[in-house]
Amino acid sequence: MKGKVVFITGASSGIGEGCARKFASEGSDLILNARNIGKLEALKSELEQKYGAKVLLLPFDVRDRKAASDALASLSGRWKDIDVLINNAGLVIGVDKEFEGSLDEWDIVIDTNVKALLAMTRMVVPGMVARGKGHIINIGSIAGDAAYPGGSVYCATKAAVKALSDGLRIDLVDTPLRVTNIKPGLVETNFSVIRYRGDKAAADACYDGIRPLNGDDIALTVYFAASLPEHIQLAELLVMPVNQATATISYRKKINDPDRKSIIK
């Protein structure tokens, strides 16, 4: 992937940050997006010093379509020729039942996980088609395979990511472009802290008794998909910790009950 231009949304933490480090270590040039300018600048400095990477920052909220359009229109020279788009930005807020949740919070989740992914795809992919090369990697979730308690809206958005990935792959079937949907299971990032509205103890409890994946683990799978020979398209990849079987079933070791099988709540 040396010399490739890789555009990553939500790059300031978690899976996006892991992808930035992995691709930088392999010689890629990076366009990094997130809202937190301070974290982006710190990451840029790290990647430049550690790997000699070329890094361009595009700090904007992916929900702001005009800001996104203006940022992408500002790209010049080599930066316009994006080789890999990693639609990573995403979140969930709350574990409310579908008839009890906040419509305003759901707007944020849907606008980030679905509408922003669509906007990035619409703005970046035409250039890939014109150049006859490119790879779109969407970060979906095991949650898109089946709903679970307290997650119906989030699960719906990740089911949408699967459908949009599949649909885009169909739309691009007569081109050399590739489309990949990466579906992580339990991954320990700031994601759960946001889900529990800042309650770190509740977020940490999600991973009690099990070794979850982290952002760097998912970055390995993203890079693997991107680095395959160009005639190979990895359409979909479900990635889970060893002791996770489905979105709702995992094996967790408890201090007082080491053989207990648990349901993820």
Side-chain angles (χ1 to χ4, degrees):
M1 300 298 292
K2 187 173 179 60
K4 299 283 188 178
V5 176
V6 180
F7 177 29
I8 307 170
T9 66
S12 62
S13 64
I15 293 172
E17 184 179 3
C19 287
R21 288 199 176 94
K22 179 58 181 175
F23 279 87
S25 72
E26 299 292 345
S28 299
D29 300 330
L30 303 178
I31 302 173
L32 303 182
N33 155 264
R35 292 176 297 170
N36 192 315
I37 298 175
K39 286 186 176 180
L40 282 182
E41 289 177 341
L43 182 58
K44 171 182 167 73
S45 178
E46 174 194 336
L47 299 180
E48 289 176 338
Q49 292 178 25
K50 188 172 183 179
Y51 303 113
K54 296 178 182 177
V55 181
L56 178 69
L57 302 182
L58 287 185
F60 62 86
D61 188 332
V62 291
R63 294 177 296 153
D64 187 335
R65 191 172 300 168
K66 184 178 186 307
S69 179
D70 290 346
L72 288 168
S74 74
L75 297 176
S76 61
R78 177 74 177 93
W79 294 113
K80 292 190 298 183
D81 299 337
I82 297 169
D83 296 294
V84 181
L85 167 63
I86 302 176
N87 279 314
N88 166 71
L91 79 166
V92 60
I93 307 172
V95 289
D96 306 288
K97 294 182 178 180
E98 193 171 321
F99 59 90
E100 296 176 338
S102 163
L103 290 171
D104 290 336
E105 288 179 341
W106 289 345
D107 278 343
I108 294 172
V109 174
I110 293 168
D111 287 351
T112 303
N113 296 3
V114 181
K115 292 170 68 176
L117 179 146
L118 268 173
M120 293 299 101
T121 300
R122 180 64 182 86
M123 293 175 192
V124 173
V125 173
M128 292 180 170
V129 173
R131 292 187 298 275
K133 62 177 182 177
H135 194 167
I136 302 92
I137 301 177
N138 294 329
I139 304 301
S141 172
I142 193 174
D145 290 347
Y148 55 74
S152 62
V153 173
Y154 175 68
C155 293
T157 66
K158 290 305 182 178
V161 171
K162 173 178 170 51
L164 292 171
S165 301
D166 292 345
L168 182 61
R169 196 178 303 110
I170 293 168
D171 291 339
L172 295 171
V173 72
D174 59 344
T175 77
L177 275 64
R178 302 184 290 179
V179 181
T180 299
N181 180 21
I182 304 289
K183 305 190 303 183
L186 279 169
V187 182
E188 186 170 16
T189 66
N190 196 51
F191 176 90
S192 290
V193 178
I194 296 173
R195 161 172 266 170
Y196 286 97
R197 302 185 177 95
D199 187 338
K200 184 68 165 55
D204 290 345
C206 291
Y207 313 108
D208 282 351
I210 190 170
R211 179 181 177 179
L213 304 178
N214 58 39
D216 292 337
D217 295 326
I218 303 303
L220 288 174
T221 67
V222 173
Y223 183 79
F224 172 72
S227 62
L228 288 171
E230 292 185 356
H231 69 289
I232 300 175
Q233 178 174 221
L234 202 168
E236 190 169 280
L237 183 61
L238 176 61
V239 192
M240 299 180 291
V242 169
N243 294 120
Q244 182 177 13
T246 71
T248 57
I249 298 174
S250 65
Y251 177 83
R252 296 167 184 261
K253 295 181 179 179
K254 300 295 182 180
I255 293 175
N256 296 325
D257 188 4
D259 296 321
R260 177 183 175 184
K261 290 184 178 179
S262 303
I263 301 296
I264 303 170
K265 297 296 186 182

